[in-house]
Amino acid sequence: MNHTDPDRTERELTEALAALAGGVRAAPDAYRTARGEWLRRERRRRLVLAVLIAVVFALATLIGLWVLNEAPSHPGVIFSGPASPQAGTR
């Protein structure tokens, strides 16, 4: 069996990762660019949500007004005719 020292493996892995990470260079304005893009997306999401809420509210209002307009103008069966004698005894 091939046994390796765990400390040696950990040290070699640490050195390899450090060498790999050492070659990575971020752009000078990377944070500012990423933050600006995030803020633009957040503003757009909020705008879309506000427009969607306004559209749903307007549709609900229009549907409600249409339903009220479609209601019959004559009195219904429940409220027509003389009052029943039992209604007054209670």
Side-chain angles (χ1 to χ4, degrees):
M1 293 185 77
N2 187 4
H3 293 289
T4 57
D5 185 21
D7 293 331
R8 178 179 166 224
T9 304
E10 184 179 344
R11 182 176 32 84
E12 288 176 354
L13 183 59
T14 303
E15 289 172 1
L17 289 175
L20 183 64
V24 176
R25 300 284 179 240
D29 61 341
Y31 175 76
R32 194 173 351 163
T33 303
R35 187 170 189 276
E37 289 176 11
W38 182 82
L39 288 174
R40 276 192 297 280
R41 279 184 270 148
E42 184 68 22
R43 278 193 300 267
R44 183 172 182 196
R45 263 183 286 211
R46 288 183 184 196
L47 179 65
V48 167
L49 183 62
V51 168
L52 183 63
I53 289 171
V55 166
V56 168
F57 182 77
L59 282 175
T61 303
L62 290 173
I63 290 171
L65 289 173
W66 177 74
V67 167
L68 287 174
N69 191 35
E70 293 297 317
S73 59
H74 57 80
V77 176
I78 296 173
F79 301 110
S80 65
S84 67
Q86 293 176 351
T89 60
R90 289 187 184 177

